[in-house]
Amino acid sequence: MKAFSFATDKGKVQIGLELDDTLYNFSEIWETYKQVKSKGRGPRLDFLQIMVEADFFHLETFQEVLETLQKIRPISHLKLRDPITYLPPVGRPQKVLCVGRNYQAHAEELGNTVPDEPVFFSKAPSALIAHQEKINLPKEVGRVDFEGELAIVIRKQAHNVSAKNAFEYIAGYSILNDVTARDLQRADIEAGRPWFRSKSFDTFCPFGPFLVPGEAIKNYRNLELEVKVNDERKQHTSLSQMIFGIEEIVAYISKHCTLQPGDVIATGTPSGVDQLNSGDVVKCHLSEIGVLRNPVGQ
Ligand code: ZN
C-alpha cells in the first residue's frame, strides 16, 4: 500500500493510493468513508503533508477505511487513469536534510574518509520536483551527478530522541535523488565554503512518487536500491550497507535541530555516482517503495 500526491485535470491537489498495482483517488475514498462512518463529518484529506502532520498517516488508517468500504460501497469508480500528474509526496517540508558519506564505497570513490558520526547538510526545499519532472542542468557549473537515496518523512516533532524510539517519529519511506553540481561542490569544499549551493539548484531534488507508511516496511535494511541511467545500472546496494542506520540518523540530527512533521531526510547514496547529461533519463528504484523517474534537460 503506497500513497502519493497528484494534481487533477483542474489543478486540484489530491491524495492517491496504490493498491495491487491499481491507482485510486484516496481523497474521494475518504469522503465516501466519512459519509458511511459519520454522516460526512470530519476533516478533508487533500494534502498528504497535512495527513502526516495530523498524525493520520498510518497503515491502519488506510486499512480501516478500505475494510469498512469493502463491505458496503464499491470504490472501483474512484480508480485513476493515466497519465497521472504526480507531485512530491510532501510538497512543503520545513527542512530537507541529507546524510553524506553513509556508504563506505561511496566515501572512498570521492576520496573521503568514513566519518565516525553522521555528516548531515541541507538542500533548499525549493529544489523539490516530482516523479517524471525534468531535472534542469544549469549552464556553466560543470559536472552534475545523480545520487539515489532512501528518504524518510518525519511524523511528529522530534527533539533529542533516542535511537531506540526513533521509528515512532517516522511517518513513511520514499525515494530522493540528491542531484549535485559536483565540480562546484568540490571547489566550495576546497575553498572552505559551505556546499549548500551545489545541492540546491531548482529541480535538484526529485522526490517520490510514493510515500509508504512506516508500518508497511518490516525491516528497511532488507531493501535494495538501484539507479539506472538510460537503463544502464549505475548504483546498486542493499540498505544493510548503510554505515549509520535510520534510527541513529534521526537520533543524531534531533540532538542538533528539532525535526518537524513533514521534514524530509535523505539517508545517503551508495557508490556509483556519475554525471548526468542532457537527454538522459535517470531512474531510482527502491524495492517495496517504487521507481522515481526523471528526464534530464537544459
Ligand atoms: Zn546525497
Side-chain angles (χ1 to χ4, degrees), residues 250-262:
V250 170
Y252 184 84
I253 294 176
S254 79
K255 284 184 179 39
H256 297 81
C257 54
T258 299
L259 291 163
Q260 299 292 353

PDB file of all heavy atoms in Angstrom, residues 250-262:
ATOM      1  N   VAL A 250      18.182   9.746  12.791  1.00  0.00           N
ATOM      2  CA  VAL A 250      17.120  10.576  13.383  1.00  0.00           C
ATOM      3  C   VAL A 250      17.549  11.039  14.787  1.00  0.00           C
ATOM      4  O   VAL A 250      17.406  12.217  15.138  1.00  0.00           O
ATOM      5  CB  VAL A 250      15.782   9.802  13.441  1.00  0.00           C
ATOM      6  CG1 VAL A 250      14.745  10.547  14.272  1.00  0.00           C
ATOM      7  CG2 VAL A 250      15.255   9.561  12.030  1.00  0.00           C
ATOM      8  N   ALA A 251      18.116  10.119  15.564  1.00  0.00           N
ATOM      9  CA  ALA A 251      18.552  10.482  16.921  1.00  0.00           C
ATOM     10  C   ALA A 251      19.631  11.562  16.861  1.00  0.00           C
ATOM     11  O   ALA A 251      19.566  12.573  17.578  1.00  0.00           O
ATOM     12  CB  ALA A 251      19.072   9.240  17.650  1.00  0.00           C
ATOM     13  N   TYR A 252      20.584  11.377  15.973  1.00  0.00           N
ATOM     14  CA  TYR A 252      21.721  12.316  15.884  1.00  0.00           C
ATOM     15  C   TYR A 252      21.252  13.708  15.440  1.00  0.00           C
ATOM     16  O   TYR A 252      21.588  14.719  16.054  1.00  0.00           O
ATOM     17  CB  TYR A 252      22.763  11.768  14.902  1.00  0.00           C
ATOM     18  CG  TYR A 252      24.009  12.603  14.820  1.00  0.00           C
ATOM     19  CD1 TYR A 252      25.047  12.442  15.749  1.00  0.00           C
ATOM     20  CD2 TYR A 252      24.156  13.569  13.827  1.00  0.00           C
ATOM     21  CE1 TYR A 252      26.196  13.215  15.683  1.00  0.00           C
ATOM     22  CE2 TYR A 252      25.304  14.348  13.759  1.00  0.00           C
ATOM     23  CZ  TYR A 252      26.314  14.165  14.687  1.00  0.00           C
ATOM     24  OH  TYR A 252      27.445  14.941  14.622  1.00  0.00           O
ATOM     25  N   ILE A 253      20.462  13.760  14.355  1.00  0.00           N
ATOM     26  CA  ILE A 253      20.015  15.070  13.851  1.00  0.00           C
ATOM     27  C   ILE A 253      19.165  15.777  14.901  1.00  0.00           C
ATOM     28  O   ILE A 253      19.297  16.985  15.110  1.00  0.00           O
ATOM     29  CB  ILE A 253      19.243  14.922  12.510  1.00  0.00           C
ATOM     30  CG1 ILE A 253      20.191  14.428  11.418  1.00  0.00           C
ATOM     31  CG2 ILE A 253      18.618  16.263  12.101  1.00  0.00           C
ATOM     32  CD1 ILE A 253      19.523  14.159  10.066  1.00  0.00           C
ATOM     33  N   SER A 254      18.310  15.003  15.600  1.00  0.00           N
ATOM     34  CA  SER A 254      17.384  15.625  16.562  1.00  0.00           C
ATOM     35  C   SER A 254      18.106  16.207  17.781  1.00  0.00           C
ATOM     36  O   SER A 254      17.528  16.963  18.552  1.00  0.00           O
ATOM     37  CB  SER A 254      16.313  14.626  17.013  1.00  0.00           C
ATOM     38  OG  SER A 254      16.827  13.743  17.994  1.00  0.00           O
ATOM     39  N   LYS A 255      19.368  15.865  17.948  1.00  0.00           N
ATOM     40  CA  LYS A 255      20.156  16.491  19.026  1.00  0.00           C
ATOM     41  C   LYS A 255      20.602  17.888  18.609  1.00  0.00           C
ATOM     42  O   LYS A 255      20.943  18.719  19.447  1.00  0.00           O
ATOM     43  CB  LYS A 255      21.397  15.647  19.328  1.00  0.00           C
ATOM     44  CG  LYS A 255      21.091  14.404  20.124  1.00  0.00           C
ATOM     45  CD  LYS A 255      22.364  13.657  20.478  1.00  0.00           C
ATOM     46  CE  LYS A 255      22.089  12.408  21.295  1.00  0.00           C
ATOM     47  NZ  LYS A 255      20.905  11.646  20.906  1.00  0.00           N
ATOM     48  N   HIS A 256      20.651  18.126  17.290  1.00  0.00           N
ATOM     49  CA  HIS A 256      21.159  19.407  16.787  1.00  0.00           C
ATOM     50  C   HIS A 256      20.052  20.356  16.364  1.00  0.00           C
ATOM     51  O   HIS A 256      20.173  21.552  16.521  1.00  0.00           O
ATOM     52  CB  HIS A 256      22.107  19.160  15.615  1.00  0.00           C
ATOM     53  CG  HIS A 256      23.317  18.377  16.004  1.00  0.00           C
ATOM     54  ND1 HIS A 256      23.315  17.005  16.129  1.00  0.00           N
ATOM     55  CD2 HIS A 256      24.561  18.774  16.330  1.00  0.00           C
ATOM     56  CE1 HIS A 256      24.510  16.599  16.501  1.00  0.00           C
ATOM     57  NE2 HIS A 256      25.292  17.651  16.631  1.00  0.00           N
ATOM     58  N   CYS A 257      19.012  19.819  15.748  1.00  0.00           N
ATOM     59  CA  CYS A 257      17.884  20.681  15.386  1.00  0.00           C
ATOM     60  C   CYS A 257      16.595  19.879  15.508  1.00  0.00           C
ATOM     61  O   CYS A 257      16.576  18.681  15.224  1.00  0.00           O
ATOM     62  CB  CYS A 257      18.047  21.288  13.988  1.00  0.00           C
ATOM     63  SG  CYS A 257      18.345  20.135  12.670  1.00  0.00           S
ATOM     64  N   THR A 258      15.536  20.542  15.939  1.00  0.00           N
ATOM     65  CA  THR A 258      14.250  19.870  16.120  1.00  0.00           C
ATOM     66  C   THR A 258      13.661  19.525  14.766  1.00  0.00           C
ATOM     67  O   THR A 258      13.559  20.390  13.895  1.00  0.00           O
ATOM     68  CB  THR A 258      13.285  20.782  16.907  1.00  0.00           C
ATOM     69  OG1 THR A 258      13.871  21.032  18.189  1.00  0.00           O
ATOM     70  CG2 THR A 258      11.924  20.129  17.089  1.00  0.00           C
ATOM     71  N   LEU A 259      13.317  18.268  14.591  1.00  0.00           N
ATOM     72  CA  LEU A 259      12.667  17.831  13.352  1.00  0.00           C
ATOM     73  C   LEU A 259      11.171  18.073  13.476  1.00  0.00           C
ATOM     74  O   LEU A 259      10.581  17.843  14.533  1.00  0.00           O
ATOM     75  CB  LEU A 259      12.963  16.351  13.108  1.00  0.00           C
ATOM     76  CG  LEU A 259      14.420  16.053  12.762  1.00  0.00           C
ATOM     77  CD1 LEU A 259      14.743  14.572  12.936  1.00  0.00           C
ATOM     78  CD2 LEU A 259      14.742  16.511  11.345  1.00  0.00           C
ATOM     79  N   GLN A 260      10.568  18.548  12.390  1.00  0.00           N
ATOM     80  CA  GLN A 260       9.139  18.870  12.392  1.00  0.00           C
ATOM     81  C   GLN A 260       8.386  17.880  11.515  1.00  0.00           C
ATOM     82  O   GLN A 260       8.965  17.333  10.564  1.00  0.00           O
ATOM     83  CB  GLN A 260       8.919  20.288  11.849  1.00  0.00           C
ATOM     84  CG  GLN A 260       9.593  21.381  12.663  1.00  0.00           C
ATOM     85  CD  GLN A 260       8.982  21.570  14.053  1.00  0.00           C
ATOM     86  OE1 GLN A 260       7.959  20.974  14.387  1.00  0.00           O
ATOM     87  NE2 GLN A 260       9.622  22.397  14.869  1.00  0.00           N
ATOM     88  N   PRO A 261       7.080  17.669  11.774  1.00  0.00           N
ATOM     89  CA  PRO A 261       6.299  16.785  10.903  1.00  0.00           C
ATOM     90  C   PRO A 261       6.399  17.249   9.448  1.00  0.00           C
ATOM     91  O   PRO A 261       6.304  18.447   9.178  1.00  0.00           O
ATOM     92  CB  PRO A 261       4.862  16.959  11.412  1.00  0.00           C
ATOM     93  CG  PRO A 261       5.001  17.496  12.787  1.00  0.00           C
ATOM     94  CD  PRO A 261       6.282  18.266  12.840  1.00  0.00           C
ATOM     95  N   GLY A 262       6.630  16.315   8.553  1.00  0.00           N
ATOM     96  CA  GLY A 262       6.763  16.645   7.133  1.00  0.00           C
ATOM     97  C   GLY A 262       8.197  16.884   6.692  1.00  0.00           C
ATOM     98  O   GLY A 262       8.474  16.936   5.492  1.00  0.00           O
TER      99      GLY A 262
END
